[in-house]
């Protein structure tokens, strides 16, 4: 028997044992009551590329886990770069170019982007500072050999678009496929190609070495908007409309974690990046990574929302390139949804 402030509490042996058992079992029951994390596999096009850094950091910083998800990031094979090849890759949730979502609509398999990660293609068109005279512009590339990552890739499409904006036709130049970055740098250095349309880390390495003269730069918002006439949608998370409607909580968790990562990246300093960014992003040179990050940082999305004009500008560019795609019936507004990013934006005050 115990007394507290004049109140007499009588304990029976049975009552004491039941009380002790409930106290012992309570933590175990609480642990069992926690819902299991939902497994999600995301297939990523270019896992070690800067546009997907928000996705990678969301996993490394535990943001997916806190959203109740157990995420696996699976790289898409490097050889799959064309829209046709990427459309055939069996991904439930896809991280990569927004062009794929547009293409999926065009072939009758509606997909939607639900969180935007990057607002620029991250491609640069430049000429050799060794083998081409200074002062030449895009219009002077008639007859030149231009190195690209491959036929049908973003690299080729950006190069074609730059040429068209300068009044040239894609047939005015000769495109040379250079699938490996080391091969691309060697080709420019040797004069095998006079120009290159490529991404990082190759471009920044060549710039720092003083052998690349930049003519068009889509690593920056200004360069991207000058080329496309406004904002464009690039790296994003997307899935089929059927999956999005069937699993809204999973999609919301993914969007929330990525937007939280975008917010984290806004104020991240060099020491933060060195602590959390995977070594694969460093390409064996941490100072090079920081240089690449500083040059491209502004191209990362702010809050995961897709601007209305961004989707339309991508579709207009693809249409003007006259790709063998039937765009009839494709409404850009149906190729993305902002409802999940909007909730994430409110949650993290993005």
């Amino acid at each position: 028997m115990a007394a507290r402030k004049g109140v007499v509490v009588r304990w029976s042996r049975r009552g004491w044992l039941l009380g002790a058992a409930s106290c012992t079992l309570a933590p175990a029951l609480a642990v069992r009551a926690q819902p299991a994390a939902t497994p999600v596999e995301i297939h990523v096009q270019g896992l070690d590329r800067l546009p997907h850094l928000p996705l990678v950091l969301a996993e490394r910083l535990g943001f997916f886990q806190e959203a109740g998800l157990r995420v696996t990031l699976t790289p898409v094979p490097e050889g799959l770069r064309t829209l046709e090849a990427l459309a055939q890759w069996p991904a439930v949730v896809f991280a990569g170019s927004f062009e794929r979502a547009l293409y999926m609509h065009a072939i009758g398999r509606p997909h939607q982007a639900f969180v935007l990660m990057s607002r620029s293609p991250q491609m640069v068109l430049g000429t050799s500072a060794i083998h081409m005279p200074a002062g030449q512009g895009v219009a002077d590339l008639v007859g030149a050999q231009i190195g690209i990552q491959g036929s049908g890739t973003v690299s080729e499409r950006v190069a074609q678009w730059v040429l068209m904006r300068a009044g040239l036709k894609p047939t005015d130049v000769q495109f040379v496929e250079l699938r490996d970055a080391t091969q691309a740098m060697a080709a420019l250095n040797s004069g095998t190609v006079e120009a290159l349309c490529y991404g990082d880390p190759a471009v920044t390495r060549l710039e720092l070495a003083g052998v690349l003269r930049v003519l068009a730069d889509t690593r920056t918002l200004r360069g991207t908007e000058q080329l496309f006439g406004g904002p464009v949608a690039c790296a994003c998370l997307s899935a089929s409309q059927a999956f999005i409607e069937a699993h809204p909580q999973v999609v919301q968790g993914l969007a929330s974690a990525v937007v939280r990562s975008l917010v984290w990246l806004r104020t991240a300093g060099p020491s933060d990046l060195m602590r959390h960014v995977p070594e694969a992003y460093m390409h064996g040179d941490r100072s090079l990574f920081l240089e690449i990050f500083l040059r491209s940082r502004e191209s990362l999305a702010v809050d995961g929302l897709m601007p209305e004009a961004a989707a339309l500008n991508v579709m207009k560019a693809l249409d003007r390139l006259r790709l063998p795609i039937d765009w009839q019936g494709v409404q850009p507004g149906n190729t993305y949804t902002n409802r999940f990013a909007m909730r994430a934006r409110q949650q993290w005050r993005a």
Side-chain angles (χ1 to χ4, degrees), residues 56-294:
V56 173
L57 287 174
E59 192 274 329
R60 291 178 70 90
L61 293 170
F63 297 161
F64 286 127
Q65 184 178 5
E66 291 182 30
L69 303 174
R70 188 173 73 254
V71 169
T72 301
L73 302 179
T74 302
V76 173
E78 277 293 319
L80 300 181
R81 295 179 176 180
T82 67
L83 289 175
E84 295 82 358
L86 292 171
Q88 297 305 316
W89 186 252
V92 176
V93 180
F94 183 81
S97 172
F98 173 69
E99 294 177 352
R100 181 179 182 270
L102 285 171
Y103 183 75
M104 298 299 273
H105 271 264
I107 63 176
R109 295 163 55 192
H111 279 56
Q112 284 187 323
F114 57 85
V115 62
L116 184 66
M117 294 185 289
S118 171
R119 302 176 288 174
S120 77
Q122 295 287 301
M123 291 290 159
V124 172
L125 176 66
T127 58
S128 170
I130 302 172
H131 304 284
M132 293 286 285
Q136 289 195 333
V138 177
D140 299 307
L141 290 177
V142 175
Q145 290 185 310
I146 302 178
I148 56 172
Q149 291 180 334
S151 177
T153 64
V154 173
S155 169
E156 183 186 42
R157 289 193 289 277
V158 168
Q160 291 175 333
W161 188 244
V162 172
L163 294 171
M164 290 179 65
R165 295 278 290 185
L168 302 183
K169 301 185 296 294
T171 53
D172 289 331
V173 303
Q174 181 182 352
F175 290 114
V176 179
E177 293 192 19
L178 302 169
R179 294 182 177 272
D180 179 77
T182 302
Q183 182 187 16
M185 291 188 290
L188 189 78
N189 281 321
S190 66
T192 303
V193 296
E194 290 87 13
L196 201 65
C197 188
Y198 232 79
D200 277 322
V203 167
T204 297
R205 285 189 191 275
L206 291 168
E207 277 187 284
L208 294 176
V211 297
L212 182 74
R213 200 176 287 120
V214 174
L215 299 182
D217 192 344
T218 67
R219 293 171 299 181
T220 67
L221 288 182
R222 181 180 179 183
T224 300
E225 293 191 359
Q226 285 178 340
L227 183 60
F228 292 93
V232 294
C234 294
C236 61
L237 284 187
S238 62
S240 68
Q241 290 181 352
F243 178 85
I244 291 173
E245 295 305 320
H247 305 280
Q249 291 183 331
V250 171
V251 175
Q252 185 62 66
L254 293 172
S256 295
V258 170
V259 171
R260 186 179 177 185
S261 184
L262 288 169
V263 172
W264 185 90
L265 277 165
R266 286 188 205 168
T267 57
S271 61
D272 299 313
L273 296 169
M274 291 301 101
R275 191 180 307 119
H276 297 291
V277 173
E279 283 296 325
Y281 274 79
M282 307 296 176
H283 304 287
D285 187 337
R286 293 193 167 197
S287 62
L288 176 67
F289 165 74
L290 288 175
E291 185 67 34
I292 291 170
F293 182 77
L294 289 174

